[in-house]
Amino acid sequence: MCGIVGYIGDKQAAPFLLDGMSKLEYRGYDSAGIAVFEKGRIRVEKCVGRLEALRQKLSGNMPAGTMGIGHTRWATHGRPSDRNAHPHADSSGEFVVVHNGIIENYMSLKEELLAKNHVFLSETDSEVVAHLMAVNYNGDFEETVKKVLGMIEGSYSLVFLCAKEPDKLICTKKDNPLVIGLGTGENFIASDIPAIIAKTRRTFIMNDGEIATVTKDAVWVQDIKGTPISKKVFEVNWNAEAAEKGGFEHFMLKEIYEQPKAMRDTMTGRVAHDGSRIDFEELNWTKEDFADISKIFIIGCGTAYHAGMVGKYYLEQLARVPVEVDIASEFRYRNPIIDSSCLTIIISQSGETSDTLAALKEARRLGSRTLAITNVVGSSVAREADQVAYTHAGPEIAVASTKAYTTQLLLMLMLAVYVGQIKGNLNDDRTRELVTAIKQVPEQIHQLLENVEQLKVFATQYGNSEDVFYLGRSLDYAVALEGALKMKEISYIHAEAYAAGELKHGTLALIVEGVPVIVLATQNDVYDKTISNLQEVKARDAVVIAIAQEGDSNIAKYADHVIFIPRAEKYLTPLLSVLPLQLLAYYAALTRGCDVDKPRNLAKSVTVE
Ligand code: F6R
């Protein structure tokens, strides 16, 4: 995720900006830049790569000035490059902006500006904001910001510099974090507290729609109508490490809690405002594109492979195309029957997994069309595939994947609806129903995350078990696989997932008194069958923890414990039922004293075979 810093005061801005940006490095970034008001103009310096590259570029020639902004970029629109790095300026260089988030309607705004002969230097959505500021400036910086905010759609935190009004910074936000730090004779802006706590602990958090004018001696906050807003200042008492994790004990927990926002970012620009359809502008598929597709392959490793298993259900049910799911390391060596009538979807959070990349190359060699679903803009799979759809989950730092998985599921569900629409498999009413359900998910996840006490208790009760089994049918089976992987990798408990109907073909022999069995029972069409399987393990005195939909008054008769998820449309249940499984694994790992963010023997990105 991108990082923002801003400074205005009596001291030199550049050293603070670079230092503040280094405190945001843990969030991941691909390029960095600063803009400082120097001798009557704004000097912008930026480059692709690590902060060290920017430091070297500036060595001996540091911008001199007491007001500036800085940015570490995690690419969303346009690959990592010097030009795409922030800050961005309009053509005159008088308005400079840093932006986190996504400007959804940037294409149409850019086209209007291009028609007026504006020249763009980057491929980013953010650059349009600087141009809009220049076009709309009427001698009043604040009023111009408000006017531009009325034109842009999407999510953002933004900080503006204006060469004509060099005594202030203006910042605002929607669906992206922004904090103000208060000093004496100096004030600070940042996307995240770690960037400023070395300078001040007196801060306040900006809320959506608020606009702050920050001078060296004062901060004035108003809404878009000009109504003043008084902010409650608080003292941050986190240490630097806790601040990086946003106050959470581990990155994994932070990322679990980031899922509602990650979901919203995945949806951004893809869900029609009136809720009538899904569109993938970056794919721009037509009915003809699908006329000759006879089969889809979905390929990934680990969690991404599990996401692919859910994706198979989505694409087969909603788009009515046969789907085969493969583990990348198997696919690449199995001489698959694949040709130009196939579409191969490659899933990879990092976009750098060696087996996944090799499988993608193999699919291309055999003539298949290819689509990459990845979280990292400009990553190897993004570059190698014919087309790419980004999950926009933001950087995932914990080794155990959480928000990458749920955003992969969401993206595939939206893709399946998109193809279903294009092929005419989904009528308008059904599409609207699905889109409505999709839009509710972030809030439903939020609800789930509000209520985790029961999971902590189970994790303490069963965290010292040797084995744990996960059972489910249909979509529940795919989620069970992911739940078991989470448990294995961070708590080191032996965890296995089975299609519930497979149990009696061997695994039932392992079910003995006291073994915890997690039974997912969220799928109505196979509910009774799942309950029969639940009874099979109960009859062997296993301890059953069931995951069921709210309103299921039947399940408590059979299970020892029940965890309820919000009631949802069938296809959305995996996005909800995986949450308690992620949290159970997390709290079990804590119970066992494991290093949650860095489990033994594992790396975040597996770039070797
Ligand atoms: C598990 C996990 C791994 C990755 C796998 C693929 O929590 O994170 O199983 O899913 O190594 O990584 P990507 O998605 O980066 O290709």
Side-chain angles (χ1 to χ4, degrees):
M1 210 172 313
C2 308
I4 283 181
V5 289
Y7 176 84
I8 183 163
D10 295 325
K11 305 194 181 79
Q12 286 300 307
F16 164 73
L17 297 175
L18 291 169
D19 190 52
M21 287 152 75
S22 74
K23 301 292 185 319
L24 300 178
E25 278 191 302
Y26 70 93
R27 296 154 61 105
Y29 67 103
D30 50 54
S31 47
I34 59 172
V36 173
F37 187 71
E38 181 188 64
K39 295 186 198 135
R41 55 178 273 276
I42 302 170
R43 182 172 150 200
V44 177
E45 297 287 353
K46 53 189 187 172
C47 64
V48 71
R50 312 299 297 168
L51 258 181
E52 199 40 46
L54 180 64
R55 280 209 169 91
Q56 278 186 6
K57 189 173 177 202
L58 299 177
S59 141
N61 185 21
M62 193 70 103
T66 57
M67 177 176 77
I69 54 182
H71 190 266
T72 46
R73 176 174 188 249
W74 164 269
T76 58
H77 291 73
R79 65 178 50 205
S81 69
D82 289 355
R83 285 170 155 230
N84 290 337
H86 293 220
H88 290 288
D90 76 299
S91 310
S92 69
E94 292 191 324
F95 292 90
V96 175
V97 63
V98 287
H99 167 223
N100 287 359
I102 297 170
I103 306 296
E104 253 178 67
N105 59 336
Y106 88 101
M107 272 312 284
S108 56
L109 294 168
K110 188 167 176 174
E111 272 157 24
E112 282 170 30
L113 291 161
L114 285 169
K116 290 182 189 150
N117 298 325
H118 279 250
V119 177
F120 284 83
L121 300 180
S122 78
E123 303 155 283
T124 64
D125 51 338
S126 314
E127 191 182 349
V128 293
V129 180
H131 286 257
L132 288 174
M133 286 296 295
V135 172
N136 290 287
Y137 186 63
N138 58 1
D140 185 329
F141 191 8
E142 275 100 337
E143 287 311 309
T144 311
V145 168
K146 288 182 198 164
K147 190 158 179 211
V148 169
L149 292 184
M151 305 166 109
I152 58 176
E153 289 164 16
S155 65
Y156 45 79
S157 38
L158 287 159
V159 189
F160 302 90
L161 267 179
C162 168
K164 290 180 171 149
E165 302 190 34
D167 57 341
K168 62 182 77 146
L169 294 169
I170 297 184
C171 61
T172 185
K173 65 145 263 167
K174 179 171 168 258
D175 296 334
N176 271 271
L178 205 59
V179 296
I180 307 280
L182 303 172
T184 308
E186 57 184 357
N187 287 310
F188 310 88
I189 299 171
S191 54
D192 215 349
I193 284 171
I196 54 176
I197 52 172
K199 298 288 173 194
T200 181
R201 289 182 173 268
R202 292 182 62 231
T203 60
F204 66 80
I205 308 276
M206 295 279 290
N207 291 324
D208 282 358
E210 293 176 348
I211 302 163
T213 303
V214 183
T215 68
K216 75 187 191 53
D217 296 312
V219 182
W220 147 257
V221 183
Q222 57 181 313
D223 68 13
I224 199 154
K225 293 192 190 123
T227 315
I229 296 169
S230 105
K231 301 294 296 183
K232 193 165 179 293
V233 175
F234 71 96
E235 286 288 319
V236 179
N237 51 17
W238 298 334
N239 63 26
E241 199 199 330
E244 282 189 357
K245 293 176 187 150
F248 289 96
E249 203 177 331
H250 295 98
F251 281 113
M252 181 180 175
L253 193 61
K254 176 170 181 263
E255 286 157 10
I256 288 175
Y257 276 80
E258 278 171 357
Q259 288 177 105
K261 166 152 174 36
M263 300 276 140
R264 287 194 188 97
D265 288 346
T266 308
M267 283 181 219
T268 299
R270 290 166 174 155
V271 176
H273 287 300
D274 64 359
S276 62
R277 54 187 291 114
I278 299 284
D279 271 310
F280 279 80
E281 220 175 68
E282 65 272 52
L283 303 182
N284 203 14
W285 285 343
T286 60
K287 196 167 186 173
E288 288 65 51
D289 287 324
F290 263 84
D292 59 349
I293 294 290
S294 61
K295 193 173 193 180
I296 296 177
F297 284 82
I298 306 182
I299 300 170
C301 298
T303 289
Y305 166 72
H306 294 155
M309 293 195 58
V310 177
K312 172 184 165 80
Y313 280 87
Y314 292 162
L315 283 159
E316 289 193 338
Q317 299 309 311
L318 299 170
R320 301 308 292 162
V321 189
V323 179
E324 218 172 294
V325 192
D326 259 285
I327 294 171
S329 55
E330 290 295 312
F331 176 89
R332 62 184 290 196
Y333 295 118
R334 78 169 169 88
N335 193 12
I337 301 169
I338 182 167
D339 58 27
S340 60
S341 71
C342 299
L343 169 68
T344 302
I345 301 179
I346 291 288
I347 307 178
S348 174
Q349 186 284 129
S350 62
E352 303 297 344
T353 302
S354 158
D355 281 320
T356 309
L357 190 56
L360 165 60
K361 288 182 180 164
E362 177 66 357
R364 285 197 73 176
R365 190 183 70 77
L366 294 167
S368 170
R369 280 168 44 191
T370 53
L371 164 68
I373 294 180
T374 180
N375 195 30
V376 181
V377 175
S379 58
S380 300
V381 302
R383 293 198 306 270
E384 196 70 34
D386 300 327
Q387 290 188 293
V388 55
Y390 292 110
T391 45
H392 296 312
E396 199 178 57
I397 292 165
V399 166
S401 187
T402 52
K403 62 177 181 170
Y405 173 76
T406 42
T407 53
Q408 284 159 358
L409 298 196
L410 179 61
L411 193 132
M412 270 183 305
L413 177 56
M414 293 197 297
L415 195 70
V417 174
Y418 177 59
V419 179
Q421 279 164 201
I422 294 171
K423 289 185 66 205
N425 299 327
L426 294 174
N427 63 29
D428 290 352
D429 288 349
R430 182 66 182 129
T431 305
R432 195 175 275 280
E433 241 170 56
L434 286 165
V435 174
T436 307
I438 286 172
K439 284 168 74 179
Q440 282 168 359
V441 168
E443 185 46 40
Q444 289 174 317
I445 293 183
H446 183 73
Q447 275 172 35
L448 265 171
L449 292 172
E450 297 271 271
N451 193 3
V452 301
E453 290 313 311
Q454 185 194 19
L455 294 165
K456 289 186 191 170
V457 173
F458 294 160
T460 322
Q461 258 175 308
Y462 303 111
N464 287 316
S465 308
E466 297 273 303
D467 309 287
V468 49
F469 294 90
Y470 293 70
L471 302 180
R473 285 171 179 259
S474 114
L475 282 166
D476 281 340
Y477 168 50
V479 177
L481 287 165
E482 176 57 10
L485 179 62
K486 287 290 89 86
M487 188 61 94
K488 276 183 264 216
E489 64 179 329
I490 59 166
S491 77
Y492 318 144
I493 296 176
H494 170 238
E496 293 301 335
Y498 290 93
E502 268 291 289
L503 203 61
K504 54 186 150 313
H505 300 287
T507 314
L508 201 52
L510 295 175
I511 306 295
V512 291
E513 186 181 348
V515 169
V517 180
I518 297 171
V519 179
L520 288 93
T522 73
Q523 301 301 302
N524 292 341
D525 47 351
V526 287
Y527 181 83
D528 292 342
K529 306 274 172 209
T530 308
I531 295 295
S532 304
N533 300 129
L534 190 163
Q535 286 173 299
E536 281 163 11
V537 293
K538 232 6 258 163
R540 273 85 191 169
D541 293 324
V543 179
V544 172
I545 301 174
I547 313 266
Q549 298 213 48
E550 263 163 17
D552 179 344
S553 52
N554 179 50
I555 194 121
K557 285 190 257 171
Y558 306 102
D560 296 282
H561 313 284
V562 186
I563 297 165
F564 287 108
I565 60 164
R567 187 157 279 279
E569 158 78 44
K570 171 187 174 75
Y571 300 113
L572 274 315
T573 51
L575 289 151
L576 301 169
S577 58
V578 77
L579 261 288
L581 304 188
Q582 293 171 345
L583 286 161
L584 266 180
Y586 173 78
Y587 288 115
L590 285 195
T591 304
R592 298 164 71 94
C594 301
D595 184 349
V596 174
D597 283 335
K598 291 198 182 71
R600 68 184 179 210
N601 307 339
L602 299 177
K604 181 67 187 158
S605 184
V606 186
T607 51
V608 290
E609 193 178 351

